[in-house]
Amino acid sequence: MKMAGIDSSRIDAMVAQLKATAAKMEAGSGINRTEESDAPKRIDFADALKASLDQVNKVQLTSQQLGEKFALGDDKVSLSDVMISMQKANISFQTTVQVRNKLITAYHDIMNMQI
């Protein structure tokens, strides 16, 4: 019986995608570096969360617009494009819900800690 190993190329691709998204978010947020050029940039959690929610909103709106164009009979929009965009919007929304659930769980854990 052969066991399937972890596909490291998929993990590397995911890490590269996360790094690219983080770099894109840093560039778009206008976060300034400190006076030392070697110091790493600091990302505010609220800014990261807002950027993530804005991205989810953008994907949702794009999906809705494609659906409306297809329903109105636009020849440039295919059904497969609409379905793919709807699935992307659904996945991004479900991911956001799961992150929210984890944050709430972490908050409750911290609040229930004995000091």
Side-chain angles (χ1 to χ4, degrees):
M1 176 181 240
K2 184 178 179 183
M3 299 286 265
I6 297 174
D7 186 6
S8 63
S9 64
R10 296 180 97 194
I11 294 172
D12 293 338
M14 179 68 78
V15 170
Q17 184 180 9
L18 289 172
K19 287 180 180 178
T21 303
K24 185 174 160 184
M25 185 182 67
E26 287 175 4
S29 67
I31 297 173
N32 294 329
R33 288 186 152 220
T34 59
E35 292 180 9
E36 297 178 22
S37 62
D38 294 337
K41 292 183 182 180
R42 294 205 178 253
I43 300 173
D44 187 25
F45 179 75
D47 292 338
L49 186 62
K50 182 178 182 334
S52 176
L53 291 175
D54 289 342
Q55 179 66 26
V56 170
N57 185 42
K58 186 173 111 176
V59 170
Q60 293 276 334
L61 291 175
T62 302
S63 174
Q64 181 181 3
Q65 290 170 351
L66 278 176
E68 289 173 356
K69 287 180 182 179
F70 181 76
L72 293 174
D74 189 352
D75 293 336
K76 296 177 183 176
V77 179
S78 67
L79 179 60
S80 60
D81 291 340
V82 174
M83 295 305 291
I84 289 170
S85 70
M86 289 175 68
Q87 286 300 317
K88 284 182 180 179
N90 185 29
I91 289 170
S92 64
F93 180 73
Q94 292 300 322
T95 303
T96 303
V97 169
Q98 292 301 319
V99 168
R100 180 208 60 183
N101 291 344
K102 291 289 185 181
L103 286 172
I104 290 172
T105 301
Y107 174 78
H108 285 296
D109 289 346
I110 291 170
M111 293 306 293
N112 290 330
M113 283 183 181
Q114 295 290 330
I115 49 173

